[in-house]
Amino acid sequence: MALTLEQLNSATSEEALVMLDGLYEHSPWIAEAALAQRPFRSLAQIKYAMVQALAASSDQKKLDLIRAHPELAGKAMETNTLTAESTNEQSKAGLTNCTPDELAHIRQLNADYQARFGFPPVLAVRGPRGLGLPKAEIIATFERRLHNHPAFERDEALRNIHRIAEIRLNDKFGYEPALGNDVWDWQEKLAQHSDEGYAEKGQLTVTYLTDAHRACAQRISHWMRESGFDEVEIDAVGNVVGRYHGATPDSQYLLTGSHYDTVRNGGKYDGRLGIFVPMACVRELHRAGKRLPFGIEVVGFAEEEGQRYKATFLGSGALIGHFDQNWLSQKDADGITMREAMQHAGLCIDDIPKIQRDAARYLGFIEVHIEQGPVLNELDIPLGIVTSINGSSRYVCEMIGMASHAGTTPMDRRRDAACGVAELMLYAEKRAAQDGDSVATVGMLEVPSGSINVVPGRCKFSLDMRAPTNAQRDAMVNDILAELAAIAERRGLRVTSELTMQAAAAPSAPQWQQRWEKAVEAQGVSLFRMPSGAGHDAMKLHEVMPQAMLFVRGINSGISHNPLESSTSDDMQLSIDAFTHILQQLEKEAA
């Protein structure tokens, strides 16, 4: 019989410890330490209490915990000495039914891993959806993780141990993240559509108005209708718009959503999570026959990534009247203009001005998005409150010196352009780190016509600088550009620089950020505030209405724009619950 929070909170210490037995392999001390935080309001609070208990322990205790775990498909499985929990998990992943070749491969990986790290490989083999990972994915994961730095891999093992404990806790309480599973499944099904040339390789790429892109729009619109939206349309730029009416015809709307296009060979959750979370909430309202004092408008923005055409934020920009007619003449890699692509898709270009929204009709804009970074993952916190979307400045630059013979040019006579850029890169890294939350990146680096035996005479490079406020960004930009000039002067080099893009910071509207904070706190999740280093559709809507964002933790070190991008259905469920709480707050405020 499933446990309840009431039973756990009212039990004696000894009884409660028995209830939580087996969550961490042969390590009951973690649950014992966490129980000191009773009473618990939610399973999420229990999970984080255990995270805190382990984080406060010594390095040796952490290492002992990792070593308490059995190898995957190892000796303990063969001799039937696995714990009942581990047996269940390895069985669900098919590890108890390996072919001889698979077993030999896994045994070799176990040996190689133990030799490199000194502890067994640990992976939450039931996966982000809890159903069990395919054996091929388990093997590929450990082949990849064998190359990690030992300190990083130790922490990755601990993160997987927490995920294992989360699934085991769910089992004890008979808890299933049902809506989180639905949202996870929607994203998986949508990922079946990929552009030609990528689909054949098993890669996910969906760029503006391709066949795959239009198939995604149709599938999203179909799911919106099934979920009970009153109006569903694909607008003049390809945005998928679903409206769930408020209680009265003159009701304002809460605007939400995100993008459904992807980068090339990207992940399944970037953008799309922000469409399906509110869609799940609307479906629950429809099932309950409930209307709110405001409507909900969910937009699947057609384009945010700028992959096929240089028109980033086309979808959200069109909603605020920022569609640049010059974009229509742009050509993609195949010579197809945007105008031709839109006409082929059956979109009415003349109607684009008509889709501009009247901000007075909206309460504001909120967006749920996968974090796309490692911070929440490293902290083992499922949700993050976005304080601001960073402002950014991008430059393309060139350092110009003198190409000369690598053997005959003395070190003190060189005008090495690449060394000048290398010095700048180290300065930019150090300068950004001074602020704590600023970032600076040299992402492109090229020595034109470089040779192994020639001192580089030219070096082309990019600069991408971002910070939570415009003032903080501008101060960093000024310092880095000043150092660039100083390096050139000191080394006898010449430098050119061109500003190619500048975007203003988009701080979260305080009232909306506070609503997210209340919503997260209500789930029993620790509050964590952070800026967004990436750009989002919210920064466009910010120009005309208040906005605030919620981040959802990613796994695999939080990687994004990558096939390894992922999140768990448990974390998705928490974001749905937090979104629902925002709806409840707005309903109370309107009463």
Side-chain angles (χ1 to χ4, degrees), residues 464-481:
D464 183 312
M465 296 163 282
R466 310 187 191 201
T469 68
N470 294 335
Q472 185 174 323
R473 176 204 60 196
D474 293 344
M476 175 176 60
V477 168
N478 290 339
D479 287 349
I480 290 175
L481 293 182

Side-chain angles (χ1 to χ4, degrees), residues 254-305:
L254 171 66
L255 186 60
T256 185
S258 196
H259 62 98
Y260 64 92
D261 66 321
T262 75
V263 297
R264 293 181 173 86
N265 195 21
K268 304 172 184 176
Y269 309 95
D270 172 16
R272 298 169 175 202
L273 179 65
I275 301 169
F276 294 132
V277 165
M279 196 167 92
C281 294
V282 167
R283 189 185 64 181
E284 294 309 294
L285 288 170
H286 174 69
R287 285 175 172 176
K290 183 176 176 62
R291 295 286 173 176
L292 299 171
F294 53 91
I296 302 171
E297 182 173 324
V298 181
V299 183
F301 294 111
E303 199 289 326
E304 190 252 23
E305 299 288 5

Side-chain angles (χ1 to χ4, degrees), residues 254-403:
L254 171 66
L255 186 60
T256 185
S258 196
H259 62 98
Y260 64 92
D261 66 321
T262 75
V263 297
R264 293 181 173 86
N265 195 21
K268 304 172 184 176
Y269 309 95
D270 172 16
R272 298 169 175 202
L273 179 65
I275 301 169
F276 294 132
V277 165
M279 196 167 92
C281 294
V282 167
R283 189 185 64 181
E284 294 309 294
L285 288 170
H286 174 69
R287 285 175 172 176
K290 183 176 176 62
R291 295 286 173 176
L292 299 171
F294 53 91
I296 302 171
E297 182 173 324
V298 181
V299 183
F301 294 111
E303 199 289 326
E304 190 252 23
E305 299 288 5
Q307 297 288 296
R308 185 178 180 184
Y309 300 101
K310 295 178 181 177
T312 309
F313 301 117
L314 181 156
S316 51
L319 260 61
I320 65 170
H322 288 183
F323 183 87
D324 187 345
Q325 293 291 323
N326 294 320
W327 288 340
L328 296 170
S329 301
Q330 286 187 21
K331 294 182 179 181
D332 68 6
D334 296 320
I336 300 170
T337 67
M338 184 185 292
R339 182 186 298 277
E340 291 168 339
M342 294 179 83
Q343 289 171 338
H344 178 70
L347 302 180
C348 184
I349 295 171
D350 291 341
D351 283 348
I352 294 176
K354 299 177 185 177
I355 69 174
Q356 181 177 351
R357 300 301 195 266
D358 176 4
R361 295 282 299 125
Y362 293 88
L363 298 170
F365 179 83
I366 57 176
E367 182 173 359
V368 176
H369 206 284
I370 195 168
E371 181 202 345
Q372 298 185 276
V375 177
L376 294 175
N377 183 257
E378 290 178 358
L379 294 170
D380 278 303
I381 295 176
L383 303 175
I385 310 295
V386 179
T387 56
S388 177
I389 304 172
N390 284 0
S392 61
S393 294
R394 291 180 183 173
Y395 287 80
V396 291
C397 311
E398 184 172 14
M399 193 79 87
I400 304 164
M402 178 65 71

